[in-house]
Amino acid sequence: MAASTATATVPGLTVQELDELYKFAVQLGKDAGDKLMEDAKARWGGGSGSNNHSQQEMREKENAVDIVTKTDEEVEAFIKGRIFDRYPDHEFIGEETYSAGSSRQYLVSSSTTTLPTWIVDPLDGTVNYTHNFPMFCVSIGIVVCSVPIIGVIYAPFTDQLFTSCKGKGAWLNETQSLPLVKGAPLPESAPKGCIFSCEWGKDRRDIKDGNMHRKVESFVNMAAEVGGREGKGGMVHGVRSLGSATLDLAYTAMGAFDIWWEGGCWEWIHPPMTPTAYTLWKQASKDVAAGIAILLEAGGLVTTANPPENWETAEVQDVGLGSRLYLAIRPAGDTDKVTKRQAQERVVREVWKRVRELDYARPGA
Amino acid sequence: MAASTATATVPGLTVQELDELYKFAVQLGKDAGDKLMEDAKARWGGGSGSNNHSQQEMREKENAVDIVTKTDEEVEAFIKGRIFDRYPDHEFIGEETYSAGSSRQYLVSSSTTTLPTWIVDPLDGTVNYTHNFPMFCVSIGIVVCSVPIIGVIYAPFTDQLFTSCKGKGAWLNETQSLPLVKGAPLPESAPKGCIFSCEWGKDRRDIKDGNMHRKVESFVNMAAEVGGREGKGGMVHGVRSLGSATLDLAYTAMGAFDIWWEGGCWEWIHPPMTPTAYTLWKQASKDVAAGIAILLEAGGLVTTANPPENWETAEVQDVGLGSRLYLAIRPAGDTDKVTKRQAQERVVREVWKRVRELDYARPGA
């Protein structure tokens, strides 16, 4: 790896190297997404509307978990192979990196190495993928010294490509800069007027004051009329659930979602994990590296989902990868009264006021 | 209008007339969707990422309601004009047809006329549209003798076109027949394994046992672990909320959503309506004509969302347009044990078991 030059914006990379890395990552995202789509289409019938023999056979042989596991592994191997061909000295974190029984410490170190680390989720939105609902994607993030510098998210079924590179902006389909509407202020009465994005997740235990019930209580607080819920009613403009944390982040970067609240989905699972636990854990530990890279480059804010005790006055800290409890606010514009950061922090507090702390812990934390 | 011939599948239309009508409706949907997209893009910034003067001016002049109202009216006028140019004797029902102060009886009569009635929603997913979230669309349905015969839904931001014509199948982008996977059986343990689509809607009143709370109770029953919620836990594979009833139906026809439950959103609003009430009412009374046409043609089932008292044994009746309380089940395949209809009805009962009756009434009902 060449030493940094005076014009480099990322430690350890020249401007030209960063350009090349970005271009390479974008093409890789497109190619990997195309592979996801090919695999999906192989399960579909043809245009005739008639039954398809090989399809029926496939249905009998494969269940939903098999489909995802096979595609996950194949597309990850494809991505990993391409990266190591071109950048043999880079680090790589993917699904397989967290293999069953291994330590699941968070792997992106804040060490002084300036070698880029690739953080790859070959398939986010796995439930959507098995059901052929378009909200699935490939997610490729590149981190240097713990800072996300490149993000590539490609949703092939809708042909939507979200990309960013530190200092070069965030983009939809490489031509439309993000957010779509520049400088749009956050609503003064937020969360009223906001689209609130959230996910039901996998923890469906019907335990009194358990995570599912805390989540639902939080959703209802955000949705209820102003004045309702003992003053917690937020009357958001809409509640959306797509089933893909990566696309939630992408649409927040785009400005379409004002607020994304993801109460984390880590569960403490002791090794060695059963296959079921491992599957759950893999689904729960999806990467957000690319999404956060794109959101930050677009001007969004990411902080913790769990409200601090002193939520009215606590510092709104930017959180990095691995926190696993995310609250994202869309890019915003300054107004005559407040800066964009002040407006975003105000919305953060309005969300903290209404949501419950969830009880997930990062393995090893 | 020419008399029906021996080969006609729709009363009052020859095969050729039906073909022409279908082709005309599809092109109209595409053109109308393109207009929606043009209007949306006019609000975006350019590719430079810099602030845009005219855009800022527009932001100051127009609020979200204005944007939607203007686009709604323009696109409806465009569609209506094109239809009356070509088919001056057809009936037309759109947003404006239900103008403030007029009777809001359900307008599609079951009279003996065989003149096609166009039921048009120029913009479904209005909240998404104002926020630039891609899940908005144009919806064009054609009904003859109260039977939906043609459906066209076009979501221009994702370039997804859903179409159907009675006897000719249902299609994605005109080349891929729906459902995507033919003959896929519904899960035997449904709703476990199903994607459940539902919307939070506009009624957010925090009233004890009010509609919002009944909805949320229903959602939680569907989501909770099997065995939870006093036996009502359904452990669906995923809960999705897109903010567009029309696209919910389209994705159910596609097979991506297994279950769509829409507890209706009519509210009894006495004329003359205030502008606010009228806006709420318009949003609440969105057409589902195109979506139901496509879903039925693909092999789906539509019945009532409100569970009958004897939900275990009550006949599962197909409901027509105007019922406003919909439960849709995706197309399914026969298995060795049950027919597709039996499987769909089983899922209907499993949903009825878990959802609450909502308290909406159709105006005039």
Side-chain angles (χ1 to χ4, degrees):
Chain A
M1 185 65 50
S4 64
T5 73
T7 50
T9 55
V10 173
L13 293 175
T14 65
V15 169
Q16 197 191 334
E17 283 168 342
L18 183 62
D19 275 351
E20 282 170 7
L21 187 62
Y22 185 29
K23 195 182 273 185
F24 178 80
V26 170
Q27 190 58 49
L28 189 54
K30 288 185 200 175
D31 293 344
D34 288 343
K35 283 184 87 70
L36 287 181
M37 202 61 201
E38 273 168 35
D39 282 6
K41 281 188 173 170
R43 305 195 307 266
W44 299 359
S48 69
S50 66
N51 251 355
N52 181 312
H53 187 58
S54 66
Q55 209 188 341
Q56 267 189 332
E57 280 177 355
M58 187 181 294
R59 245 195 338 270
E60 283 161 22
K61 277 188 208 158
E62 295 192 324
N63 63 30
V65 174
D66 290 338
I67 289 168
V68 167
T69 305
K70 188 161 158 278
T71 302
D72 245 3
E73 286 171 3
E74 282 176 4
V75 176
E76 177 163 322
F78 166 79
I79 294 171
K80 199 171 177 176
R82 284 264 290 258
I83 292 169
F84 285 161
D85 276 354
R86 174 74 178 260
Y87 297 108
D89 56 345
H90 285 193
E91 293 186 45
F92 180 90
I93 296 177
E95 301 265 351
E96 285 181 30
T97 312
Y98 305 100
S99 62
S102 74
S103 165
R104 287 175 310 291
Q105 297 293 327
Y106 188 61
L107 297 176
V108 178
S109 67
S110 54
S111 69
T112 51
T113 173
T114 56
L115 280 180
T117 299
W118 294 70
I119 305 184
V120 170
D121 188 352
L123 172 54
D124 186 72
T126 52
V127 170
N128 293 336
Y129 187 72
T130 56
H131 290 258
N132 293 295
F133 178 55
M135 292 291 144
F136 58 84
C137 61
V138 58
S139 168
I140 297 176
I142 302 178
V143 170
V144 174
C145 299
S146 296
V147 177
I149 58 159
I150 285 173
V152 177
I153 295 170
Y154 183 45
F157 200 155
T158 58
D159 196 23
Q160 294 197 321
L161 172 71
F162 305 86
T163 56
S164 75
C165 181
K166 203 164 174 59
K168 297 173 192 291
W171 300 85
L172 172 65
N173 291 340
E174 301 178 87
T175 52
Q176 174 63 48
S177 78
L178 301 179
L180 296 176
V181 180
K182 313 300 167 230
L186 284 157
E188 280 189 35
S189 54
K192 188 162 180 269
C194 290
I195 290 195
F196 173 62
S197 167
C198 55
E199 303 293 348
W200 288 71
K202 293 283 163 203
D203 183 352
R204 309 285 185 73
R205 288 172 296 178
D206 185 27
I207 299 167
K208 193 165 180 272
D209 206 38
N211 281 323
M212 181 181 71
H213 290 288
R214 291 186 190 194
K215 268 197 172 185
V216 170
E217 185 185 331
S218 305
F219 298 173
V220 174
N221 284 344
M222 293 295 283
E225 63 186 330
V226 173
R229 307 286 290 176
E230 297 175 338
K232 289 194 174 175
M235 193 63 197
V236 294
H237 207 186
V239 179
R240 301 290 177 265
S241 299
L242 303 184
S244 162
T246 300
L247 288 170
D248 286 331
L249 277 165
Y251 288 123
T252 308
M254 200 162 93
F257 293 163
D258 302 274
I259 301 162
W260 176 58
W261 182 70
E262 176 54 65
C265 35
W266 282 79
E267 301 200 44
W268 195 296
I269 299 168
H270 294 279
M273 288 189 278
T274 64
T276 307
Y278 177 57
T279 300
L280 279 172
W281 179 86
K282 275 208 307 185
Q283 288 168 353
S285 62
K286 287 298 178 209
D287 285 314
V288 291
I292 288 184
I294 294 168
L295 180 70
L296 293 179
E297 184 65 22
L301 178 153
V302 188
T303 189
T304 178
N306 273 354
E309 220 167 293
N310 54 340
W311 57 266
E312 287 176 286
T313 53
E315 191 189 348
V316 176
Q317 290 186 313
D318 298 309
V319 298
L321 301 173
S323 84
R324 293 292 164 191
L325 293 162
Y326 298 108
L327 169 58
I329 310 292
R330 72 157 166 86
D334 299 327
T335 68
D336 297 344
K337 296 175 197 161
V338 290
T339 65
K340 56 170 275 191
R341 177 77 191 194
Q342 286 171 325
Q344 288 170 326
E345 292 194 1
R346 184 171 44 74
V347 178
V348 165
R349 292 184 205 287
E350 292 294 334
V351 177
W352 280 347
K353 176 181 169 182
R354 291 168 171 88
V355 295
R356 292 288 306 277
E357 178 170 348
L358 300 186
D359 196 14
Y360 299 104
R362 182 154 62 76
Chain B
M1 185 64 52
S4 64
T5 71
T7 49
T9 55
V10 173
L13 293 175
T14 65
V15 169
Q16 196 191 335
E17 283 168 343
L18 182 61
D19 274 352
E20 282 171 8
L21 187 61
Y22 185 28
K23 195 182 274 185
F24 177 79
V26 170
Q27 189 58 49
L28 189 53
K30 289 185 199 174
D31 293 345
D34 288 342
K35 283 183 86 72
L36 287 181
M37 202 61 201
E38 274 168 34
D39 283 6
K41 282 188 172 168
R43 306 195 306 266
W44 299 359
S48 68
S50 66
N51 251 355
N52 180 311
H53 186 58
S54 66
Q55 210 189 340
Q56 268 190 331
E57 280 177 356
M58 188 182 292
R59 242 190 346 264
E60 283 161 22
K61 278 187 206 157
E62 295 191 326
N63 63 29
V65 174
D66 290 338
I67 289 168
V68 168
T69 305
K70 188 162 158 278
T71 302
D72 246 3
E73 287 172 2
E74 282 176 3
V75 177
E76 176 162 324
F78 166 78
I79 294 171
K80 198 172 177 175
R82 285 264 290 259
I83 292 169
F84 285 159
D85 275 354
R86 174 76 177 260
Y87 298 109
D89 56 345
H90 285 192
E91 291 187 46
F92 179 90
I93 296 176
E95 300 265 351
E96 287 182 29
T97 311
Y98 305 100
S99 62
S102 74
S103 166
R104 287 174 310 289
Q105 298 293 328
Y106 187 61
L107 297 177
V108 179
S109 67
S110 53
S111 68
T112 51
T113 175
T114 55
L115 279 179
T117 299
W118 294 70
I119 305 183
V120 170
D121 189 352
L123 172 55
D124 186 72
T126 52
V127 170
N128 293 336
Y129 187 72
T130 58
H131 290 259
N132 293 295
F133 178 56
M135 292 290 144
F136 59 84
C137 61
V138 57
S139 167
I140 298 176
I142 302 178
V143 170
V144 174
C145 299
S146 296
V147 176
I149 56 159
I150 286 173
V152 177
I153 295 171
Y154 182 45
F157 201 154
T158 57
D159 197 23
Q160 294 196 322
L161 173 70
F162 305 86
T163 57
S164 74
C165 181
K166 203 165 174 56
K168 297 172 193 290
W171 299 84
L172 172 65
N173 291 340
E174 302 178 88
T175 52
Q176 173 63 48
S177 78
L178 300 179
L180 296 177
V181 180
K182 313 304 167 223
L186 285 157
E188 280 189 34
S189 54
K192 187 161 180 271
C194 291
I195 290 196
F196 173 61
S197 167
C198 55
E199 304 292 348
W200 287 71
K202 291 286 162 199
D203 184 352
R204 310 284 185 72
R205 287 171 297 178
D206 185 27
I207 299 166
K208 192 164 181 273
D209 205 37
N211 281 322
M212 182 182 70
H213 290 288
R214 292 186 189 193
K215 269 197 172 186
V216 170
E217 185 185 331
S218 305
F219 298 173
V220 174
N221 284 344
M222 294 295 284
E225 62 186 329
V226 172
R229 308 286 289 174
E230 297 176 339
K232 289 194 174 175
M235 193 63 196
V236 294
H237 207 187
V239 179
R240 301 290 177 266
S241 299
L242 303 184
S244 162
T246 300
L247 288 171
D248 286 331
L249 276 164
Y251 287 124
T252 307
M254 201 162 94
F257 293 163
D258 302 276
I259 301 163
W260 175 58
W261 181 71
E262 175 55 64
C265 35
W266 282 79
E267 302 201 42
W268 195 297
I269 298 167
H270 294 278
M273 288 190 277
T274 63
T276 307
Y278 178 56
T279 300
L280 279 172
W281 178 86
K282 275 209 305 185
Q283 288 169 355
S285 62
K286 288 299 179 208
D287 285 315
V288 289
I292 288 184
I294 294 168
L295 180 70
L296 293 179
E297 186 64 22
L301 178 153
V302 188
T303 189
T304 179
N306 273 354
E309 220 168 293
N310 54 339
W311 57 265
E312 286 177 286
T313 53
E315 190 190 349
V316 176
Q317 290 186 314
D318 298 310
V319 298
L321 300 173
S323 84
R324 292 294 164 191
L325 293 161
Y326 297 109
L327 168 58
I329 309 293
R330 72 157 166 86
D334 299 328
T335 67
D336 298 342
K337 296 177 197 160
V338 290
T339 65
K340 57 168 276 192
R341 177 77 191 194
Q342 286 171 326
Q344 288 171 325
E345 291 195 2
R346 184 171 43 75
V347 178
V348 165
R349 293 185 205 286
E350 293 293 335
V351 177
W352 279 347
K353 175 182 170 182
R354 292 168 171 89
V355 296
R356 293 288 307 276
E357 178 170 346
L358 300 185
D359 196 16
Y360 300 104
R362 181 156 62 76

